[in-house]
Amino acid sequence: MRLNARDLDLLVTVYKHINAEGARPDLAAALLRLVSRLSRQNEGEYPTCLSLSREQIQRDIPYQVVCETRYGARWDTGTRKRRWDSEFSHAEQQLASRLFRQAQTWALKSGAPASVKMTGAAYDLWQKLGDFCASL
């Protein structure tokens, strides 16, 4: 499914409105994932930058799970290494190294920032990393 820039802007506006009300955080998170996927499909045509507040970061970005798993005992196992190579492309592995450092900073040093901007692809990689780490 391909959307033009105006349709994607409308989805982002709806997301911001639902998220600002705070009544349906589950719907806002689902809409954020949809916007992220659609922006990745339209990549090159319309780069979307997502802006997340501290509450959204804490709710939607699995940085604590990623940090605990990456710097824990389960990370250095052969099973994890084989799965890592089969589930993540080389480009994703390189981008993940930056996210690991960011997860450690947020979880152990400074806490989540007041706001952060990221691309839809970065948001998707956070979700993929969180799922991967939680499954170990």
Side-chain angles (χ1 to χ4, degrees):
M1 178 173 162
R2 294 193 94 46
L3 294 177
N4 62 32
R6 195 177 80 213
D7 294 335
L8 199 54
D9 279 338
L10 179 62
L11 281 175
V12 170
T13 303
V14 170
Y15 160 74
K16 288 178 181 177
H17 179 71
I18 291 172
N19 190 50
E21 289 179 359
R24 296 286 309 270
D26 56 334
L27 182 61
L31 192 54
L32 183 60
R33 284 191 292 276
L34 174 66
V35 167
S36 174
R37 283 192 196 115
L38 291 173
S39 67
R40 189 179 64 225
Q41 288 176 356
N42 293 346
E43 204 161 309
E45 296 175 21
Y46 184 67
T48 301
C49 192
L50 304 172
S51 180
L52 303 173
S53 67
R54 176 177 287 129
E55 292 78 24
Q56 292 170 310
I57 294 167
Q58 291 171 340
R59 183 183 66 228
D60 298 337
I61 304 295
Y63 65 92
Q64 293 178 341
V65 172
V66 170
C67 179
E68 289 175 13
T69 305
R70 171 61 183 91
Y71 299 101
R74 288 183 235 152
W75 193 256
D76 291 326
T77 62
T79 303
R80 192 276 314 161
K81 291 175 185 176
R82 285 188 296 278
R83 281 190 57 208
W84 178 255
D85 287 336
S86 68
E87 294 181 25
F88 290 86
S89 69
H90 182 69
E92 287 176 326
Q93 290 178 10
Q94 289 179 332
L95 290 172
S97 65
R98 183 179 63 83
L99 297 184
F100 289 136
R101 287 190 304 274
Q102 194 171 31
Q104 184 182 30
T105 300
W106 290 353
L108 301 175
K109 296 177 183 173
S110 65
S115 67
V116 69
K117 290 185 180 186
M118 67 178 71
T119 64
Y123 181 84
D124 285 343
L125 186 56
W126 271 114
Q127 300 306 313
K128 188 174 179 180
L129 276 173
D131 293 341
F132 178 80
C133 291
S135 70
L136 293 178

